[in-house]
Amino acid sequence: MASMRDIKRRRGSIQSTQQITKAMKLVSTVKLQKAKQRAEQSKEYFNCMYETVVSMLAKAGNINHPYLKAGSSSKKGIIVITSNRGLAGGYNSNVTKLITQGDFKKEEAEIYVIGKKGRETFQRRGYSIREDYSDIVEEPLYSDAMEVSRKVLDDFVSGEIGEIYLAYTGFKNTVVHVPTLLKLLPVEVAEKTGKDGAENAQKNAAPMNFEPEDDAALELIIPKYVTSLIFGGLVESVASENGARMQAMDSATSNAEEMIDHLTLMYNRARQGSITQELTEIIAGANAISM
Amino acid sequence: MADERNFRLKVITPERVFYDGDVNMVEFNTTEGEIGIYKGHVPMTVIVNPGILTISESDRARNAALHAGFVEILEDKVTVLAEIIEWPEEIDRKRAEEAKARAEERLRSKSPETDVLRAETALKRAIARINLISS
């Protein structure tokens, strides 16, 4: 059995770890609240944006625009949003798994990484990392998303990548986070929601006009659409990150609690044992003298 | 004071709801030129060019600098999806003037690596900001 001092030392160290995890949990709870609020505030924008793009594509029909078909390159640009910090449970690995265990070939993937943890994973596995925007993850601004989308669209238009994907963690609620892989370009909304979109468009009695004409409008709106998706991904990922960290720290705190309880029991047992032993020794000694 | 000529205007940015209320008229700059919208406009989606957004409420007019985004116009509702928009009090005059000087300098230098389109947009933005606060 471990000595009393060992147990005491162990218990002390677990206690201080518990204090840290507790503090981290509180911090991420506050951050989560903020991030959640931001995610909710920005939702309206994306819904509007999505509706507009869908109705536009439903109307545009057979426009032959480069944004609507895959480029000639077999390379696939993937924007991966992870966190800069660890200790968030499976948050980071769940996102990176979408790529490493998905149907992407390592040679074809060009990673635009957002978040240090993702960069480390992909570097270790030998993926080609094209850009690194890790510093924007702490507090994503819309202008940051604009910068990222400008870069990927440039690469798409110049033919260096043929398709663009976005891997992020969707925020359903505080405890449910869904790692999501989204195809940004070529735009696919029309195929999936084409029917609904067309029906909706018919429901609106007056048909929507576009100014400038369809092609030009598409040219201008699609980049905004991509930017808004990237920004949405960022905001949701930040919320999910803090949610995941809060959960991880919560269970770490309760695990520490459990260990401390167990060690306290062991410590008391050892203490009692040593007292009993001492007593037996004294009595035995006294007996030996009096004999 | 429900004025029946009023319609609903919503200005949404990715970060917040910028404006939401009933208005009489709204004016702004599009890629095709400046337009003003009253209730009952033909449904239309237009792209924004940097300029001043004027919101005429029943009793007063408010201005804001609208830099990028697009506008969805329906008969009784107008939604502005603005990427960048500011109230006059949010604008830093000095910064705007510096940005203007910088953009002009870049356009003048005409070195091959200058992104002319970007510089022009930056210039337009700066001018819109300055116009707004000096008006």
Side-chain angles (χ1 to χ4, degrees):
Chain A
M1 200 199 228
S3 79
M4 261 166 70
R5 210 183 340 142
D6 285 345
I7 297 174
K8 203 172 178 183
R9 195 180 292 151
R10 180 104 200 278
R11 195 180 62 174
S13 94
I14 290 172
Q15 239 154 8
S16 41
T17 311
Q18 190 197 24
Q19 273 168 354
I20 295 170
T21 58
K22 221 182 215 167
M24 282 181 73
K25 187 194 150 194
L26 290 178
V27 170
S28 50
T29 312
V30 175
K31 280 193 182 165
L32 169 71
Q33 239 115 46
K34 260 192 224 152
K36 213 164 112 185
Q37 212 182 352
R38 289 189 64 177
E40 270 156 20
Q41 275 174 344
S42 52
K43 215 156 226 162
E44 190 161 357
Y45 183 84
F46 306 119
N47 292 343
C48 274
M49 175 70 86
Y50 186 76
E51 273 168 31
T52 312
V53 171
V54 167
S55 75
M56 212 168 152
L57 290 175
K59 183 181 174 262
N62 304 323
I63 289 185
N64 203 4
H65 193 273
Y67 284 147
L68 301 181
K69 50 177 190 196
S72 50
S73 168
S74 65
K75 293 254 185 211
K76 296 177 169 68
I78 311 168
I79 305 165
V80 188
I81 305 174
T82 59
S83 68
N84 274 348
R85 278 166 236 208
L87 292 178
Y91 170 76
N92 286 312
S93 64
N94 284 343
V95 180
T96 48
K97 253 188 226 159
L98 286 175
I99 290 105
T100 53
Q101 296 179 4
D103 5 301
F104 291 105
K105 289 197 195 104
K106 196 186 273 187
E107 307 76 47
E108 286 181 350
E110 289 286 337
I111 311 271
Y112 299 78
V113 74
I114 304 174
K116 274 185 200 146
K117 290 287 157 184
R119 189 186 61 206
E120 284 161 16
T121 312
F122 290 117
Q123 253 164 6
R124 204 168 45 234
R125 288 172 183 258
Y127 278 82
S128 125
I129 292 174
R130 207 176 167 88
E131 291 290 332
D132 181 2
Y133 298 100
S134 294
D135 41 337
I136 69 175
V137 110
E138 299 298 328
E139 208 160 329
L141 296 173
Y142 194 74
S143 48
D144 298 327
M146 279 166 97
E147 194 186 319
V148 178
S149 82
R150 192 179 307 132
K151 176 73 186 141
V152 288
L153 287 171
D154 278 355
D155 286 351
F156 184 82
V157 170
S158 67
E160 283 180 57
I161 49 175
E163 289 171 11
I164 303 176
Y165 292 84
L166 173 70
Y168 70 102
T169 312
F171 184 80
K172 286 269 174 297
N173 56 44
T174 313
V175 284
V176 183
H177 316 123
V178 195
T180 317
L181 186 67
L182 202 70
K183 193 173 189 180
L184 293 185
L185 284 184
V187 181
E188 261 182 351
V189 264
E191 283 166 33
K192 262 188 275 165
T193 55
K195 232 178 160 188
D196 299 351
E199 275 165 19
N200 280 341
Q202 276 169 1
K203 256 183 243 165
N204 289 345
M208 179 61 78
N209 296 299
F210 289 100
E211 193 178 296
E213 265 313 305
D214 298 346
D215 281 39
L218 216 57
E219 175 93 37
L220 289 163
I221 283 185
I222 295 292
K224 295 189 200 304
Y225 171 69
V226 171
T227 312
S228 79
L229 283 176
I230 295 175
F231 183 70
L234 274 169
V235 178
E236 284 201 26
S237 291
V238 172
S240 304
E241 178 197 336
N242 286 304
R245 181 165 299 122
M246 193 182 85
Q247 268 175 284
M249 289 302 114
D250 189 38
S251 57
T253 311
S254 60
N255 284 346
E257 187 76 37
E258 226 170 83
M259 283 172 86
I260 290 169
D261 283 352
H262 179 67
L263 285 171
T264 312
L265 195 68
M266 290 220 327
Y267 173 75
N268 286 341
R269 220 176 261 160
R271 191 174 57 102
Q272 210 171 9
S274 77
I275 292 170
T276 318
Q277 202 186 350
E278 245 172 77
L279 273 179
T280 339
E281 276 163 16
I282 292 168
I283 293 166
N287 281 348
I289 292 167
S290 68
M291 270 206 313
Chain B
M1 41 162 250
D3 191 333
E4 61 183 35
R5 286 170 310 165
N6 280 4
F7 61 92
R8 184 71 177 275
L9 173 72
K10 251 188 171 182
V11 184
I12 311 170
T13 76
E15 269 129 10
R16 59 184 164 157
V17 175
F18 184 78
Y19 182 89
D20 188 359
D22 288 329
V23 302
N24 203 298
M25 180 177 70
V26 58
E27 294 166 89
F28 53 85
N29 201 1
T30 76
T31 47
E32 313 294 292
E34 279 185 36
I35 60 170
I37 294 157
Y38 283 110
K39 188 178 179 171
H41 199 281
V42 169
M44 192 159 81
T45 299
V46 294
I47 317 272
V48 162
N49 242 15
I52 296 175
L53 173 83
T54 308
I55 303 169
S56 305
E57 293 169 342
S58 302
D59 46 357
R60 60 177 180 151
R62 297 184 73 180
N63 289 330
L66 174 63
H67 303 303
F70 58 92
V71 184
E72 189 183 41
I73 303 158
L74 297 175
E75 272 183 38
D76 52 356
K77 193 180 168 209
V78 173
T79 311
V80 182
L81 287 168
E83 285 184 301
I84 311 165
I85 185 164
E86 297 149 321
W87 292 121
E89 53 270 23
E90 291 166 350
I91 295 174
D92 185 342
R93 174 171 215 129
K94 206 168 144 223
R95 237 186 98 192
E97 268 161 11
E98 276 166 16
K100 185 178 170 214
R102 216 166 37 232
E104 281 169 344
E105 177 57 42
R106 259 193 301 178
L107 284 176
R108 219 175 299 125
S109 70
K110 285 219 176 84
S111 61
E113 65 264 28
T114 320
D115 187 341
V116 177
L117 201 68
R118 238 180 112 179
E120 268 175 9
T121 333
L123 182 60
K124 276 188 212 157
R125 264 181 213 165
I127 291 173
R129 282 197 178 109
I130 292 166
N131 282 347
L132 179 62
I133 34 182
S134 17
S135 66

